[in-house]
Amino acid sequence: MMPRRGATLTQADVARTIRAAKQAGAALVEVRPDGSMLVHLIDADARPTAPAEPVEAGWPADLVL
């Protein structure tokens, strides 16, 4: 048997990225299956007062900022 491979992305990595994204005023943090994370920033004047769409069922609520 082959040894188990280490995690590409840890929960701590995701938590750190979400915290930093919130501080930067990000609209969305996207976590991809390959382990990459995209932080979507929006202009301060273009920020909506309420979410445009509800969070999709089954996704953790803290992924949509």
Side-chain angles (χ1 to χ4, degrees):
M1 256 197 256
M2 293 179 54
R4 185 172 167 183
R5 187 174 61 149
T8 304
L9 186 67
T10 65
Q11 184 176 355
D13 293 335
V14 175
R16 247 189 320 273
T17 302
I18 290 173
R19 247 189 327 274
K22 283 182 179 180
Q23 289 178 350
L28 177 72
V29 175
E30 181 180 343
V31 180
R32 294 191 169 174
D34 66 355
S36 63
M37 291 184 274
L38 298 175
V39 178
H40 299 270
L41 300 173
I42 58 171
D43 186 18
D45 296 333
R47 286 189 188 161
T49 55
E53 298 177 16
V55 177
E56 197 173 312
W59 285 89
D62 60 350
L63 288 181
V64 177
L65 307 177

